[in-house]
Amino acid sequence: MLHFFDKEARKDSTLSDQDRQYLKLLTRKHIVFHGEVQGVGFRYTAYHLASRLGLTGWVRNEYDGTVTCEIQGKHEDLMEFLDDIQNQRYITIDYMEQKNMDPVMESSFRVIGY
């Protein structure tokens, strides 16, 4: 599979029919988590949950105390991720801002930033 990490590469690339069909099966969400989400292992918990569920995307801390995540996979796996991340011992999510996005070709989930 192809790896696209920037928006320009996503727009200009030509996907195979197989890749297009694969992307149609996926859901991608951009989520901003608010609450007690920094300094509590949120990013690494997200990484391990996403890896276990076969999800791709990224997670990073923001300077305003929130955590931003783009996550992609089968809808039911995304819902399991969201359920699991909200039921962690030290993580307290007050609310989430969610936006659906177009899926992209990628093969892993990664932690970004400091």
Side-chain angles (χ1 to χ4, degrees), residues 40-110:
V40 293
F42 186 99
R43 292 176 300 153
Y44 293 96
T45 300
Y47 172 81
H48 290 290
L49 289 172
S51 297
R52 179 176 57 83
L53 294 166
L55 301 171
T56 62
W58 53 265
V59 62
R60 74 172 174 232
N61 282 346
E62 302 295 350
Y63 289 106
D64 63 1
T66 62
V67 173
T68 301
C69 179
E70 281 191 17
I71 193 156
Q72 172 175 293
K74 294 179 185 172
H75 179 76
E76 57 273 9
D77 294 334
L78 263 68
M79 295 303 101
E80 185 173 342
F81 172 88
L82 291 174
D83 286 342
D84 288 352
I85 200 78
Q86 293 180 78
N87 291 304
Q88 299 297 313
R89 176 175 280 188
Y90 300 108
I91 297 169
T92 304
I93 299 170
D94 294 333
Y95 68 98
M96 299 178 283
E97 298 174 52
Q98 296 186 46
K99 178 173 69 170
N100 289 329
M101 301 183 69
D102 292 332
V104 298
M105 294 301 298
E106 62 188 358
S107 61
S108 64
F109 190 89
R110 63 196 194 286

